[in-house]
């Protein structure tokens, strides 16, 4: 019950605020999300001690997949 109530409150408050902010301040909103991602990477990397060759290869593969996804064209509807 409490989870459902939280979802309803979030929909009518946070999502409406985010819609307004994305329409009027798109660059700032994306900058905040990007900053949270960078901060999370830094915070997690401090606790990670197992840097070996596999970890570096996985890191490079993950970054390249992420960058390639960001350059894809958005999906379009079928006519």
């Amino acid at each position: 019950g409490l989870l459902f109530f939280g979802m309803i409150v979030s929909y009518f408050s946070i999502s409406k605020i985010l819609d307004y902010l994305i329409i009027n301040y798109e660059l700032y909103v994306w900058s905040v999300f990007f900053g949270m991602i960078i901060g999370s990477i830094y915070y997690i990397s401090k606790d990670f001690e197992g840097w070996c060759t596999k970890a570096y290869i996985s890191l490079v593969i993950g970054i390249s997949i992420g960058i390639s996804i960001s350059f894809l064209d958005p999906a379009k509807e079928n006519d």
Side-chain angles (χ1 to χ4, degrees):
L2 192 57
L3 178 64
F4 184 71
F5 177 71
M7 290 168 41
I8 297 297
V9 169
S10 172
Y11 175 75
F12 288 111
S13 61
I14 302 300
S15 69
K16 299 299 180 184
I17 293 170
L18 277 177
D19 286 343
Y20 170 78
L21 290 174
I22 286 176
I23 290 170
N24 295 306
Y25 303 100
E26 182 178 6
L27 181 64
Y28 296 119
V29 172
W30 288 117
S31 299
V32 167
F33 285 127
F34 186 69
M36 286 192 288
I37 291 169
I38 296 297
S40 299
I41 290 171
Y42 171 74
Y43 184 74
I44 291 171
S45 69
K46 286 191 335 182
D47 293 336
F48 189 71
E49 298 174 1
W51 286 103
C52 60
T53 306
K54 281 185 179 180
Y56 286 115
I57 292 171
S58 298
L59 178 67
V60 169
I61 291 172
I63 288 173
S64 54
I65 289 173
I67 289 173
S68 64
I69 287 174
S70 69
F71 286 117
L72 290 176
D73 290 330
K76 304 222 181 342
E77 292 181 10
N78 289 338
D79 292 333

